Amino acid sequence: MKPITQLKRLKQERDALEQRLIQVQKMETTSQLAGGLVHDFNNLLAIVVGQLDLVEEKTAGLPEIHEQIRACKRATEQTAQMTRGMLAFMRDQSLHPVVFRPDETVGDLLQLMGQFLGRGLRVEASHPRGLWTCEADPIQLQNALLNLALNARDAMPRGGRVLIATRNLHLDEAKAAALADAPPGDYVVVSLSDTGSGMTQEVLAKACEPFFTTKPAGKGSGLGLSMVRGFVQRSQGFMRIDTALGRGTTVELYLPRGSGPVKTRRRTAPHTKLPPVAANRESILVVDDDPDMREMLMLQLKKSGYAAFAAGSAAEALDSLRQRPEITIVFLDLVLPGEPDAKELTRQVARDMPHVKVVHMSGHPQQDAVDHAGLDPGTAILEKPFDREALLAAIKRARG
């Protein structure tokens, strides 16, 4: 090999490594930002859910209003799941695959998609009879479809049509080899098609690269298709894109067929039962630096028959506990400013007030919250947002 040729090759390898390092650094920074946003966003959702519980109780006997409230609750719950699922992908955390019905998962998403896409876009779905179940993380599938829908919206500035379709597909060895060299087997194909501008072959070749985008600065992260492909590959599936300028784009997600029982979906009860009132005026302390969150939790607890007190910091909480020995349960947010922090408050309570039980709350997902606060791996976290039913269940668990 000539010295000049060898130098060129070494330079190309060095440039490739530098680009990879830059991408890794960008992903790490994005992951940290996403973690903070998820925490703050879930805090806000927790306030919304709690206030909806209170409004629902005040409007007893008005079924139409209750149905609207339940729709809002379903939307907040699904939004929280999406943000957590996106954070899990950004941090390369494990998926939670289950066997589910993809047509039902798509149906749940359609209720929200119209709000995200805005006017001028028609969203439709098509599902065949006898559709198989598939095995993947349903929340991540919804995240993927939402990412694809937002791309479709940007490709149709004057309006258009988005179609989400599903179908069964059996791949024998010959078909699998011809189709992106995929593993043979049974798949459920979930596709999203638009009537937008489409992509050139040059753009398509880079479309799934992290941070690649054709959108103006500030209008896109360049992570959408990369995240979608990563989810599908980690689900033991694969992705194909069919596109051309002037005729729109179709993205097909091939997910493995499910085997075993379908996971039961959580449904909102048609008539919400009022939570039981506490048998005695047990005293509970709420520790959270967000005043709206404190107020909402105190209202929830008082409505359920508890004596509720509040503190905005760990230092205030320690003063309250010393002045009010009747307090037996503390609801403690794990992200508190100043010193002592939540971890130190937990330690002091366990050492000096063993009769007081601490219920940890966080806008971060379970594992992130435990790691952030340096708690024991098995520590239970009440994840925000939560409704009054979850709040009262946490009290019951704290009592043992």
Side-chain angles (χ1 to χ4, degrees):
M1 181 180 295
K2 295 181 180 180
I4 294 179
T5 304
Q6 186 175 11
L7 286 174
K8 286 183 177 179
R9 182 179 60 80
L10 290 173
K11 184 178 184 303
Q12 290 173 348
E13 291 177 353
R14 185 193 65 188
D15 290 345
L17 287 173
E18 287 179 353
Q19 287 301 315
R20 182 177 298 180
L21 177 60
I22 290 171
Q23 289 186 355
V24 169
Q25 290 171 338
K26 285 182 177 180
M27 291 293 286
E28 178 63 25
T29 301
T30 305
S31 173
Q32 292 174 359
L33 289 172
L37 287 173
V38 166
H39 172 269
D40 294 345
F41 194 64
N42 284 336
N43 267 353
L44 295 173
L45 287 178
I47 296 169
V48 172
V49 172
Q51 294 292 356
L52 285 172
D53 278 338
L54 295 170
V55 172
E56 188 170 23
E57 183 175 344
K58 288 181 178 179
T59 56
L62 299 174
E64 292 183 0
I65 293 180
H66 279 200
E67 180 53 40
Q68 293 172 334
I69 291 172
R70 286 192 291 272
C72 291
K73 285 184 177 180
R74 288 193 295 269
T76 54
E77 179 183 348
Q78 192 166 11
T79 303
Q81 289 175 330
M82 286 182 176
T83 57
R84 288 169 181 162
M86 197 169 296
L87 178 63
F89 177 86
M90 294 296 295
R91 297 186 175 177
D92 200 26
Q93 294 176 356
S94 60
L95 299 174
H96 301 284
V98 296
V99 177
F100 65 95
R101 301 187 186 281
D103 51 339
E104 292 182 348
T105 297
V106 170
D108 290 342
L109 181 63
L110 289 180
Q111 298 177 18
L112 292 177
M113 193 171 285
Q115 301 173 23
F116 280 103
L117 299 184
R119 296 180 179 180
L121 293 180
R122 188 169 75 256
V123 184
E124 300 175 359
S126 174
H127 308 294
R129 291 184 178 181
L131 182 67
W132 295 333
T133 60
C134 64
E135 188 164 0
D137 188 323
I139 301 303
Q140 289 282 21
L141 173 59
Q142 291 182 332
N143 286 344
L145 291 173
L146 184 58
N147 267 304
L148 296 178
L150 293 175
N151 284 344
R153 178 199 63 186
D154 294 340
M156 298 182 290
R158 290 185 291 274
R161 174 174 176 260
V162 172
L163 173 65
I164 303 178
T166 55
R167 59 187 172 92
N168 301 330
L169 178 67
H170 172 73
L171 286 182
D172 57 25
E173 292 187 2
K175 290 180 180 178
L179 196 65
D181 206 20
D186 290 336
Y187 295 87
V188 173
V189 185
V190 183
S191 64
L192 188 144
S193 303
D194 65 56
T195 56
S197 55
M199 292 183 274
T200 65
Q201 292 304 304
E202 291 76 16
V203 170
L204 177 61
K206 298 181 178 181
C208 292
E209 293 180 4
F211 302 104
F212 173 80
T213 180
T214 59
K215 301 173 185 178
K219 297 295 184 181
S221 66
L223 291 170
L225 282 175
S226 174
M227 294 173 66
V228 173
R229 184 179 64 174
F231 152 65
V232 175
Q233 290 176 341
R234 292 164 65 207
S235 301
Q236 309 305 312
F238 60 98
M239 181 177 85
R240 294 182 71 241
I241 302 176
D242 180 26
T243 186
L245 277 179
R247 68 172 179 85
T249 299
T250 297
V251 182
E252 294 182 324
L253 313 181
Y254 294 73
L255 299 173
R257 180 181 181 179
S259 60
V262 174
K263 177 178 174 60
T264 303
R265 298 198 304 163
R266 180 179 175 181
R267 296 181 180 272
T268 304
H271 298 288
T272 303
K273 296 180 179 179
L274 293 177
V277 175
N280 53 27
R281 292 282 291 177
E282 189 171 8
S283 296
I284 297 177
L285 177 65
V286 175
V287 188
D288 199 298
D289 62 310
D290 188 321
D292 291 331
M293 188 71 188
R294 292 198 303 270
E295 181 182 357
M296 183 275 294
L297 284 175
M298 289 181 67
L299 285 172
Q300 292 276 24
L301 292 169
K302 289 176 180 178
K303 286 285 185 180
S304 299
Y306 296 96
F309 304 95
S313 67
E316 288 181 20
L318 286 172
D319 288 341
S320 295
L321 288 168
R322 294 185 183 111
Q323 296 171 14
R324 299 183 181 276
E326 69 272 22
I327 293 174
T328 56
I329 295 177
V330 174
F331 275 86
L332 172 63
D333 185 73
L334 286 175
V335 181
L336 292 175
E339 295 291 340
D341 58 11
K343 180 181 178 181
E344 176 61 20
L345 175 59
T346 301
R347 189 186 67 80
Q348 290 192 36
V349 168
R351 182 192 64 197
D352 303 332
M353 310 166 198
H355 67 287
V356 177
K357 305 300 181 183
V358 177
V359 177
H360 297 98
M361 308 180 295
S362 179
H364 288 300
Q366 166 80 28
Q367 192 56 53
D368 282 5
V370 169
D371 293 342
H372 177 84
L375 301 175
D376 293 335
T379 303
I381 304 295
L382 185 59
E383 292 186 32
K384 300 174 184 177
F386 51 83
D387 57 15
R388 196 192 302 188
E389 182 182 352
L391 179 70
L392 297 179
I395 294 174
K396 184 177 180 181
R397 287 194 300 271
R399 290 201 199 103

